[in-house]
């Protein structure tokens, strides 16, 4: 039994390694973009850039939902051609919504229309990119998925960094990043190619993909991503430009702790979708995510003195808070693992708890928080409470699903 367990475990470790390498490449590129943008744009200009990146992340929610749905439906037997048709339908819908949001976002955040259009204009390309990543994930082609993740991160960041280095400013950098994402989507389509033989699992009823499953997954993912980004948008309202930029730079530690264990959910997602393995897969995922989060918090505390050296002395006031920013990201990573399992089995009611957490966080921040320590403390407290509640609900639901029905006496 031990040998069989080791054999089964090895492919999972290899898959995690490939996806982690790709995700880390993309994340390091993203952190480098924010770090250098913070230095080159200065404390007065970086806040606009960071806020629009946060808005772009929120608009990428349909893309993340599509990836999960494509992977799930491919495992269940849906055809790749039909799923790619779904990708294009979703991309068109996202493009229309993004265009309508441009003036609203520009007025709300007090940013330029051109910069806002650049940030939101990348959303349809993100949908197509994530759809192809879903094809690779559902086919269990994790090596190719890791390559696409890394290449997409570099393609998005490199053009923006070049523009910033040449003094092009935030607007041109955001347009360059959007072009890079579109290029990455084309590359992902080439890599995914025809469906792998591994995509054809056990025979059964082939599901017909549609937009509705994506919408159900999107509202779960939207709650998660809104909770992870709301603080960065609120600071533009309650803080001045200097402190808002300092807070925005601190969230780099949040993003590191949040995205560092991304591969765990990606690789364990197919097991989460199977009732007989769901409970064990969820427990394993939450345990690994918690362990990685602890390491991230300790790392942030130890690396805090380096923050002013890397970003500039203007950011020295937040170095003592970096461990709190990392704790925020670590808690959100555990919450992400829990809600991902809900998407895997199409159990979307759990999103209500996350939406409630979002409302509480924004309300408390707008009403009470007027400093960086107060804002990040509020974010951490709400994230901790929400994570505990959702994790308990997910585990109880998984245990109930896996437990066989008791025998009942006849008559």
């Amino acid at each position: 039994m031990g040998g069989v367990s080791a054999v089964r475990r090895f492919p999972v470790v290899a898959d995690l390694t490939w996806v982690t390498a790709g995700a880390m490449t993309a994340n390091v590129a993203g952190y480098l973009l924010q770090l250098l943008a913070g230095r080159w744009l200065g404390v007065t200009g970086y806040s606009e850039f960071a806020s629009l990146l946060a808005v772009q992340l929120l608009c990428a929610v349909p893309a993340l939902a599509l990836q999960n749905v494509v992977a799930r439906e491919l495992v269940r037997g849906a055809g790749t051609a039909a799923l790619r048709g779904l990708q294009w339908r979703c991309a068109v819908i996202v493009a229309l919504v993004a265009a309508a949001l441009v003036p609203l976002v520009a007025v709300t955040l007090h940013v330029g229309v051109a910069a806002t259009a650049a940030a939101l204009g990348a959303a349809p390309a993100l949908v197509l990119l994530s759809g192809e990543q879903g094809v690779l994930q559902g086919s269990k082609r994790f090596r190719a998925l890791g390559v696409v993740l890394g290449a997409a991160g570099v393609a998005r960041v490199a053009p923006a960094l070049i523009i910033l280095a040449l003094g092009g400013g935030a607007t041109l950098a955001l347009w360059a990043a959007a072009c890079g994402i579109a290029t990455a989507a084309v590359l992902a389509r080439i890599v995914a190619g025809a469906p792998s033989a591994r995509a054809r699992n056990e025979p059964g009823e082939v599901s017909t993909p549609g937009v509705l499953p994506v919408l159900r997954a999107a509202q779960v993912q939207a709650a998660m991503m809104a909770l992870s980004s709301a603080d960065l948008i609120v600071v533009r309202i309650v803080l001045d430009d200097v402190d808002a930029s300092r807070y925005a730079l601190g969230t780099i530690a949040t993003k590191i702790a949040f995205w560092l264990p991304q591969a765990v959910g990606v690789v364990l997602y197919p097991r989460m979708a199977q009732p007989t393995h769901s409970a064990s897969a969820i427990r394993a995922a939450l345990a690994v995510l918690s362990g990685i989060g602890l390491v991230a918090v300790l790392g942030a505390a130890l690396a805090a003195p380096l923050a002013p050296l890397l970003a500039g002395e203007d950011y020295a006031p937040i170095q003592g808070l970096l461990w709190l920013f990392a704790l925020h990201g670590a808690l959100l990573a555990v919450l992400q693992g829990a809600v991902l399992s809900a998407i895997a089995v199409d159990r979307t009611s759990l999103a209500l708890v996350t939406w409630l957490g979002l409302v509480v966080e924004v309300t408390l921040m707008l009403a009470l928080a007027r400093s960086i320590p107060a804002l990040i403390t509020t974010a951490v407290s709400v994230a901790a409470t929400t994570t505990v509640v959702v994790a308990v609900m997910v585990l109880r639901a998984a245990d109930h699903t896996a437990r066989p029905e008791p025998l009942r006496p006849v008559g």
Side-chain angles (χ1 to χ4, degrees), residues 328-401:
H328 185 210
L331 290 167
L332 292 174
V334 178
L335 179 59
Q336 169 79 346
V339 300
L340 192 63
S341 69
I343 297 175
V345 295
D346 206 7
R347 187 187 297 120
T348 59
S349 60
L350 290 175
L352 294 176
V353 178
T354 309
W355 282 119
L356 178 60
L358 172 66
V359 172
V360 171
E361 177 178 289
V362 173
T363 301
L364 291 176
M365 285 183 171
L366 291 175
L368 303 175
R370 290 296 181 271
S371 66
I372 294 177
L375 286 164
I376 188 57
T377 300
T378 301
V380 168
S381 300
V382 173
T385 303
T386 307
T387 299
V388 170
V389 173
V390 173
V392 170
M393 293 175 65
V394 164
L395 288 172
R396 285 183 176 176
D399 286 337
H400 177 75
T401 302

Side-chain angles (χ1 to χ4, degrees), residues 1-184:
M1 291 296 294
V4 174
S5 178
V7 171
R8 289 177 178 174
R9 194 182 302 118
F10 177 76
V12 174
V13 174
D15 294 340
L16 284 171
T17 301
W18 277 105
V19 176
T20 299
M24 283 296 295
T25 300
N27 291 334
V28 168
Y31 305 143
L32 182 63
L33 172 62
Q34 296 195 53
L35 185 64
L36 293 178
R39 177 179 288 274
W40 291 338
L41 295 175
V43 292
T44 57
Y46 177 64
S47 178
E48 176 187 17
F49 185 76
S51 295
L52 286 175
L53 286 181
V55 171
Q56 187 181 82
L57 182 62
L58 291 177
C59 291
V61 165
L64 298 174
L66 177 66
Q67 177 175 340
N68 291 324
V69 170
V70 167
R72 184 184 68 201
E73 298 300 322
L74 191 60
V75 168
R76 292 178 177 179
T80 304
L83 292 172
R84 283 179 171 145
L86 174 62
Q87 293 175 31
W88 282 102
R89 293 196 297 275
C90 291
V92 171
I93 294 173
V94 167
L96 295 175
V97 173
L101 287 175
V102 168
L104 177 62
V105 172
V107 171
T108 303
L109 297 183
H110 309 291
V111 295
V113 173
T116 305
L120 298 181
L126 282 170
V127 168
L128 296 176
L129 171 61
S130 294
E132 294 302 325
Q133 290 174 176
V135 171
L136 294 172
Q137 183 183 4
S139 303
K140 301 179 183 177
R141 297 159 60 189
F142 293 111
R143 171 186 265 185
L145 178 58
V147 171
V148 168
L149 288 172
V154 174
R156 169 178 173 264
V157 168
L161 282 180
I162 293 173
I163 294 297
L164 289 173
L166 295 176
T171 300
L172 288 178
L174 288 167
W175 279 113
C179 293
I181 293 171
T183 302

